[in-house]
Amino acid sequence: MIFNKDTAEKTAELLLQINAIKLNPENPFTWASGWKSPIYCDNRLILSFPSIRNYVRDEFAKNIEKQFGKPDVIAGVATGAIGVGILVAESLGLPFVYVRPEPKKHGRQNQVEGFLQKGQNVVVVEDLISTGKSSLMAVEALRSEGANIKGMAAIFTYGFGVAEENFKEANIDLFTLSNYENLLDLAVQKQYITEDQQSTLLEWNESPSTWGQE
């Protein structure tokens, strides 16, 4: 679910402007999972554009507090959401921790890095939601440390049905600055893509794991 329509449209436009999101239905990308995709999203580019990262920071801070109440801690999911998570925590005047994909193999073998007390209210910040699997693994790591997860806030989601099911099963409320639907509407409006290309992109979204396979 998006925080609000205006933010969703503005965020989509900014992501397209800096090529954080690339749309190429005719020459699809190949994801690490092996999926063929007409879209590629790299939200880490936001950090290189001060005015845009400040916009994302401010929208996150404002809407997190409005939607979840002010938490005790902001947690970022490594590695993509560490940078923006720190910005949000700084804006809200809150402690920050981040969550590794798995525990370290040495030292204290931490998966959650930073100071976190049992029972603290945490909002998790993520850069991108695809299936939600890695994001929810971070949630489980925080819960295993005794955190009370208020919800998750992400920059963008592809809006896959499997992600919705995964978040529902984990009992986690997910809100995003923008999403696939608003991105495509904005991309057509601003002539990044044609309506025919939009149809192709919508077809992919319905069955991303099999799209483009002969």
Side-chain angles (χ1 to χ4, degrees):
M1 183 182 299
I2 55 173
F3 283 115
N4 65 73
K5 182 73 172 177
D6 289 342
T7 299
E9 291 179 354
K10 178 67 173 177
T11 303
E13 185 169 10
L14 294 173
L15 293 175
L16 287 167
Q17 282 178 4
I18 63 173
N19 281 323
I21 289 183
K22 296 182 179 182
L23 302 171
N24 196 342
E26 287 76 27
N27 188 22
F29 307 93
T30 301
W31 287 2
S33 62
W35 289 6
K36 297 292 184 182
S37 170
I39 178 174
Y40 190 81
C41 183
D42 182 5
N43 288 331
R44 287 167 292 194
L45 283 171
I46 289 168
L47 299 174
S48 298
F49 296 84
S51 64
I52 295 176
R53 76 179 183 225
N54 289 344
Y55 172 81
V56 168
R57 174 200 66 197
D58 293 346
E59 289 299 310
F60 262 143
K62 174 178 66 179
N63 286 294
I64 283 173
E65 195 161 7
K66 181 179 179 181
Q67 190 63 49
F68 302 116
K70 192 169 184 177
D72 301 310
V73 177
I74 295 292
V77 181
T79 58
I82 291 177
V84 70
I86 290 172
L87 292 173
V88 174
E90 178 69 14
S91 179
L92 290 171
L94 295 174
F96 176 77
V97 301
Y98 71 87
V99 188
R100 296 175 176 274
E102 58 184 24
K104 287 173 67 174
K105 303 296 186 186
H106 57 279
R108 296 170 59 199
Q109 300 182 330
N110 292 342
Q111 185 168 3
V112 178
E113 296 285 6
F115 182 72
L116 181 67
Q117 294 178 293
K118 292 184 184 301
Q120 284 189 307
N121 293 322
V122 176
V123 170
V124 183
V125 172
E126 180 63 288
D127 69 324
L128 176 66
I129 304 295
S130 53
T131 65
K133 182 179 178 181
S134 60
S135 304
L136 291 170
M137 286 173 62
V139 167
E140 289 309 308
L142 289 161
R143 282 175 166 167
S144 71
E145 296 290 326
N148 176 32
I149 308 300
K150 301 293 287 183
M152 183 177 293
I155 297 171
F156 185 78
T157 177
Y158 292 113
F160 296 148
V162 64
E164 293 181 15
E165 293 171 10
N166 287 339
F167 275 89
K168 184 177 180 180
E169 186 175 329
N171 195 29
I172 293 295
D173 290 330
L174 170 67
F175 285 84
T176 63
L177 297 182
S178 193
N179 63 3
Y180 196 71
E181 178 184 356
N182 281 277
L183 173 78
L184 294 192
D185 289 345
L186 190 282
V188 171
Q189 178 187 333
K190 298 291 184 178
Q191 299 183 339
Y192 285 93
I193 58 173
T194 65
E195 290 186 359
D196 284 345
Q197 288 175 318
Q198 181 185 30
S199 296
T200 300
L201 286 153
L202 287 170
E203 288 174 7
W204 167 79
N205 190 254
E206 291 176 2
S207 184
S209 63
T210 58
W211 185 85
Q213 297 180 8
E214 296 181 359

